[in-house]
Amino acid sequence: MQLLKEKIRQEGKALSSEILKVDSFLNHQIDPELMQAIGQEFARRFTNDGITRILTIESSGIAPSVMAGLALGVPVVFARKRKSLTLQEDFYEAKVHSFTKQQTNTIVVSKAHLVATDKVLVIDDFLANGQAAEGLIDIVQQAGATLAGVGIVIEKSFQEGGDRLRRKGIRVESLASVAALAEGKVTFAGE
């Protein structure tokens, strides 16, 4: 997705060979027009897949997921990183390790919002080692629902997550694939 790549080139910061900072438009401050375009692109890629629900994880996956849900006309469910007082029973849970935050969370989704008849599109902001995506896929499987695929805003293709998911036969659609982060420069796959 050229618009996203241009935004990453203009505002993204390679903080190290593994960390890309995009907080000016994706995961702290949100660019609504870019999010709308991202949602429309996910909808275009999955429009013929019979999606009935989008599943993401709080918090950075919510904006692109809502825009994709709007474009596809389906509800969006986000996995919570903490159980709330209103979610004490009847939930699916999975452990997810955050590469960026270097911590493990137990994510939860109410069983009322994800059912066996759903065809689910998982969306997240980044794909690095794949643990967030795998946790969300685990929840889809616990529900007995069907996974249509995984939509990723930015994949760090130099890390193992995307390859591992694809080897399992999971469809992964990444809007921008970063091949390297070196000396403050972002290099996209195919460049």
Side-chain angles (χ1 to χ4, degrees), residues 41-141:
E41 181 61 17
F42 281 135
R44 184 188 70 76
R45 292 184 186 201
F46 288 95
T47 195
N48 296 321
D49 292 281
I51 306 298
T52 62
R53 197 164 316 265
I54 294 172
L55 178 63
T56 191
I57 191 168
E58 66 176 349
S59 63
S60 299
I62 294 174
S65 295
V66 166
M67 292 301 184
L70 185 63
L72 287 167
V74 300
V76 174
V77 176
F78 66 89
R80 294 175 177 262
K81 292 180 182 170
R82 291 176 202 84
K83 285 187 260 184
S84 72
L85 292 175
T86 62
L87 187 61
Q88 295 298 316
E89 54 187 49
D90 292 330
F91 54 85
Y92 308 109
E93 67 181 352
K95 298 266 188 221
V96 171
H97 182 76
S98 169
F99 174 80
T100 308
K101 295 180 180 127
Q102 290 298 301
Q103 66 185 32
T104 300
N105 291 301
T106 299
I107 59 170
V108 296
V109 172
S110 170
K111 289 182 178 181
H113 302 307
L114 190 61
V115 296
T117 55
D118 280 321
K119 190 155 188 190
V120 181
L121 170 59
V122 167
I123 292 180
D124 204 6
D125 62 337
F126 270 95
L127 176 59
N129 291 322
Q131 293 177 348
E134 287 174 337
L136 292 169
I137 292 165
D138 181 22
I139 286 176
V140 171
Q141 292 168 341

